[in-house]
């Protein structure tokens, strides 16, 4: 396992993206998003995903020249069209706008249709928290999980993110796919040659399995909460498609490549209502009580420690993945 300094990683990503036709500013922002994902320990949506992102740009699945467009405004709500552009950049702009609307109205919502994969959803939850907002956001995906009781993938492992700000920056950030493990996490375990710590899906005979390669191959992922996760996945897809006028999970599946995804960004000004100036005390008290007397973590807490460790020692990178990235950057 290699260790790569953050600035070196981000710089290589930026040069590769510029060489593929991105503007300098956009390449810098996108490189920072991808490198930060790995810096904070989410390698499946950082370095591991970067070669695929470059491939999607090269083959036109992602239109690098497309500009996101606001098509409807209704008070504190807006509807945007991503025009199959660069998913993380469009999603970042959408959450930025949602926080602006929240500071104006108390709550803001941007429904972003016809976008592409946003990489790591907690990126946008943390963005809302950094701006003093409660963040709620989710994305739909291609059909990659069976409805509970079925065997054919028809619903998405649609990630849902909920964030709550803390004054010290150690925000509460809950980020969960509707499947027990995301496909990126399955890939991460497979590349390490490890089994999943808990069952993540079913094998071809319908038995629970912890083998990531089997689940990747047959797509029979285990929903969180069994039938409850299945139902929540459907609900998120319904709401996202209705609000955005974009593509549903079914429609995304019919397009061949996973593109044209729909994302919802909601920001709520945290101190606007009952908590007022006591928001941080309330949040700190609740989270502190969870940890009293037990060695447990709340969602998002480990991130700051991982970030510090990786800044000091370098970001862990699978040697095979890094070789692919260096090849993409040859001559840049």
């Amino acid at each position: 396992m290699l260790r790569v300094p953050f600035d070196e990683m981000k710089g290589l990503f930026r040069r590769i993206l510029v060489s593929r036709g991105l503007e300098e500013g956009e390449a810098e922002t996108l490189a920072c998003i991808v490198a930060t994902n790995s810096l904070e320990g989410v390698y499946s949506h950082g370095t591991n995903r970067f070669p695929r992102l470059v491939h999607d740009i090269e083959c036109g699945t992602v239109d690098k020249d497309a500009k996101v467009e606001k098509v409807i405004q209704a008070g504190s709500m807006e509807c945007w069209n991503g025009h199959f552009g660069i998913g993380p950049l469009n999603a970042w702009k959408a959450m930025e706008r949602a926080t602006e609307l929240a500071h104006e109205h108390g709550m803001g919502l941007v429904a972003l249709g016809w976008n592409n994969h946003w990489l790591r959803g907690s990126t946008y939850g943390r963005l809302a928290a950094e701006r003093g907002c409660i963040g709620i956001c989710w994305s739909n995906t291609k059909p990659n999980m069976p409805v509970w009781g079925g065997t054919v993938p028809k619903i998405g492992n649609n990630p849902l993110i909920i964030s709550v700000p803390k004054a010290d920056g150690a925000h509460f950030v809950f980020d969960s796919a509707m499947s027990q493990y995301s496909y990126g996490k399955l890939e991460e375990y497979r590349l390490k040659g490890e089994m999943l710590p808990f069952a993540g899906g079913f094998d071809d005979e319908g038995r629970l399995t912890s083998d990531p390669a089997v689940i990747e191959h047959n797509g029979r992922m285990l929903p969180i909460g069994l039938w409850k996760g299945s139902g929540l996945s459907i609900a998120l897809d319904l709401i996202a498609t209705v609000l955005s006028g974009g593509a549903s999970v079914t429609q995304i599946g019919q397009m061949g490549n996973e593109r044209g995804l729909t994302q919802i960004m909601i920001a709520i000004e945290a101190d606007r209502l009952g908590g007022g100036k006591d928001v941080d005390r309330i949040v700190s008290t609740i989270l502190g009580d969870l940890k009293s007397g037990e060695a447990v973590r709340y969602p998002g807490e480990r991130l700051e420690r991982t970030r510090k460790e990786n800044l000091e020692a370098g970001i862990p990178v699978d040697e095979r993945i890094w070789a692919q990235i260096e090849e993409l950057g040859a001559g840049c």
Side-chain angles (χ1 to χ4, degrees), residues 2-16:
L2 294 174
R3 288 271 185 176
V4 180
F6 173 77
D7 288 339
E8 178 183 333
M9 176 180 289
K10 187 182 73 167
L12 179 56
F13 287 169
R14 182 188 57 78
R15 293 193 299 274
I16 292 170

Side-chain angles (χ1 to χ4, degrees), residues 70-81:
K70 179 174 68 178
V71 292
I72 299 173
Q73 180 164 10
S76 63
M77 302 188 297
E78 294 181 0
C79 179
W80 289 15
N81 188 325

Side-chain angles (χ1 to χ4, degrees), residues 190-324:
R190 174 176 53 78
L191 288 172
K192 292 189 294 185
E194 296 179 2
M195 302 295 280
L196 303 170
F198 304 98
F202 299 92
D203 63 19
D204 295 339
E205 284 71 45
R207 297 170 300 202
L208 285 172
T209 180
S210 298
D211 189 331
V214 169
I215 304 167
E216 278 185 303
H217 177 72
N218 66 19
R220 297 183 65 179
M221 302 181 78
L222 182 67
I224 59 169
L226 308 179
W227 52 87
K228 296 177 183 179
S230 175
L232 183 54
S233 169
I234 297 167
L236 293 175
D237 185 41
L238 286 168
I239 296 169
T241 308
V242 166
L243 292 180
S244 70
S248 66
V249 167
T250 298
Q251 290 171 304
I252 293 167
Q254 293 169 346
M255 283 188 270
N257 295 324
E258 188 178 37
R259 64 195 305 256
L261 276 60
T262 299
Q263 285 127 16
I264 300 295
M265 307 290 183
I266 300 172
I268 304 169
E269 199 168 56
D271 59 3
R272 180 67 70 105
L273 294 178
K277 295 182 179 179
D278 289 334
V279 167
D280 195 58
R281 179 187 62 79
I282 294 169
V283 174
S284 296
T285 299
I286 293 172
L287 296 180
D289 179 66
L290 299 177
K291 295 171 63 63
S292 59
E294 293 190 282
V296 297
R297 297 187 300 265
Y298 62 81
E301 184 179 12
R302 185 174 60 181
L303 181 149
E304 291 302 322
R305 186 177 67 189
T306 303
R307 171 193 281 266
K308 184 175 184 296
E309 290 175 355
N310 286 346
L311 278 174
E312 292 175 353
I315 299 169
V317 182
D318 183 281
E319 295 182 11
R320 292 163 294 180
I321 298 293
W322 193 244
Q324 293 178 38

